[in-house]
């Protein structure tokens, strides 16, 4: 059995994939593991174990932001189980020293104050200007952030800061890759997608209109169309 595995962003949970899981439920086997608070290594092994438990031999891995970092790790560990990759609003390179310092400072604040301040700290960079004017999106994303536990957020911040450089892996990924980047994303701007597309042997890039960093939530219609087409391309019947 082959299927699709959704890999969530930081500091979210699988609930962020609701538009896509609702679209595909009953049409294709799917998994959406929760791994906030785990290292990328632990998260990868948990994901592979869940695939084993459910009898999913191969999958299209769909990773957004932190989920993209995990997708790279999964490919490194078990490329024979990867039918295709959807890499959204993510990057192959590691954190800069400045980015690491920002994560460490955020970690200290979360451990002291909890997650109550996180929506205001993250929403401006996680949502594009179009979405920031849409109350229903703001409410959904704020709620997802507040579901996170402080200790899990803190551990994931360390995992993100210490992640490896996946750039050398790009030209080894000789399977189909769909790159989806919000046109309004300032954290991982479309230029990141263009950079990866130039190196990946078999990539196609879509810039998602009217969307920022959480492009799957901000423009689920464009996402759904692109995702269904890609699944058919790699041989998953939907």
């Amino acid at each position: 059995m082959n299927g699709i595995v959704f890999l969530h962003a930081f500091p979210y949970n699988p609930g962020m994939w609701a538009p896509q899981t609702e679209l595909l439920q009953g049409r294709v086997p799917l998994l959406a593991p929760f791994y906030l608070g785990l290292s990328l290594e632990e998260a990868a092994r948990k994901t592979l174990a869940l695939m084993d438990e459910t009898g999913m031999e191969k999958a299209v891995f769909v990773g957004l932001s932190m989920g993209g970092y995990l997708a790279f790790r999964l490919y490194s560990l078990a490329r024979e189980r990867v039918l295709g990759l959807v890499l959204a609003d993510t990057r192959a390179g590691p954190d800069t020293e400045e980015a690491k310092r920002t994560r460490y400072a955020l970690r200290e604040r979360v451990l002291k104050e909890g997650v109550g301040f996180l929506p205001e700290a993250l929403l401006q960079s996680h949502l594009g200007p179009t979405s920031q004017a849409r109350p229903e999106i703001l409410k959904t994303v704020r709620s997802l952030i507040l579901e996170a536990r402080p200790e899990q957020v803190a551990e994931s911040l360390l995992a993100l800061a210490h992640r490896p450089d996946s750039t050398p892996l790009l030209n080894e990924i000789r399977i189909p890759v769909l790159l989806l980047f919000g046109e309004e994303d300032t954290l991982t701007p479309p230029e990141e997608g263009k950079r990866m597309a130039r190196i990946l042997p078999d990539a196609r890039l879509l810039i998602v209109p009217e969307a920022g960093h959480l492009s799957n939530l901000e423009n689920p219609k464009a996402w759904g169309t692109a995702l269904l087409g890609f699944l058919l391309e790699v041989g998953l019947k939907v």
Side-chain angles (χ1 to χ4, degrees), residues 108-129:
E108 290 304 313
R109 190 175 173 192
V110 166
L111 289 172
K112 288 178 182 177
E113 301 179 29
V115 298
F117 74 94
L118 270 184
E120 301 317 312
L122 299 178
L123 281 172
Q124 190 168 1
S125 60
H126 282 200
L127 296 176

Side-chain angles (χ1 to χ4, degrees), residues 107-174:
R107 180 177 184 270
E108 290 304 313
R109 190 175 173 192
V110 166
L111 289 172
K112 288 178 182 177
E113 301 179 29
V115 298
F117 74 94
L118 270 184
E120 301 317 312
L122 299 178
L123 281 172
Q124 190 168 1
S125 60
H126 282 200
L127 296 176
T130 301
S131 297
Q132 289 179 33
R134 297 168 59 197
E136 73 280 8
I137 291 285
L138 287 168
K139 181 180 179 182
T140 295
V141 176
R142 182 177 283 109
S143 176
L144 285 166
I145 292 172
L146 292 175
E147 289 172 17
R149 290 167 49 190
E151 61 274 20
Q152 292 174 333
V153 172
E155 289 306 306
S156 280
L157 283 164
L158 288 182
L160 291 170
H162 298 155
R163 73 182 187 277
D165 183 2
S166 295
T167 307
L169 187 66
L170 292 178
N171 60 15
E172 297 179 22
I173 301 177
R174 300 186 178 276

Side-chain angles (χ1 to χ4, degrees), residues 28-129:
V28 62
L30 61 87
L31 292 172
F34 175 68
Y35 49 85
L36 194 68
L38 301 182
S39 69
L40 292 179
E41 187 81 15
E42 291 167 334
R45 298 201 180 281
K46 177 178 180 176
T47 301
L48 293 170
L50 282 172
M51 291 176 67
D52 291 340
E53 289 169 18
T54 57
M56 189 181 289
E57 295 174 14
K58 296 184 179 183
V60 172
F61 292 92
V62 182
L64 190 148
S65 194
M66 179 173 70
Y69 309 149
L70 177 53
F72 286 130
R73 190 71 197 117
L74 282 159
Y75 188 83
S76 295
L77 288 173
R79 63 187 65 188
E80 72 281 359
R81 304 189 73 171
V82 187
L83 279 176
L85 291 172
V86 179
L87 301 173
D89 303 286
T90 191
R91 57 167 46 91
D95 267 2
T96 63
E97 289 305 313
E98 181 182 359
K100 287 180 182 179
R101 287 192 293 271
T102 299
R103 293 201 200 275
Y104 297 151
L106 186 60
R107 180 177 184 270
E108 290 304 313
R109 190 175 173 192
V110 166
L111 289 172
K112 288 178 182 177
E113 301 179 29
V115 298
F117 74 94
L118 270 184
E120 301 317 312
L122 299 178
L123 281 172
Q124 190 168 1
S125 60
H126 282 200
L127 296 176

Side-chain angles (χ1 to χ4, degrees), residues 2-6 24 28-31 56 59-60 62 227 231 236:
N2 296 333
I4 184 168
V5 179
F6 289 99
L24 293 170
V28 62
L30 61 87
L31 292 172
M56 189 181 289
V60 172
V62 182
L227 188 56
L231 295 179
L236 275 182

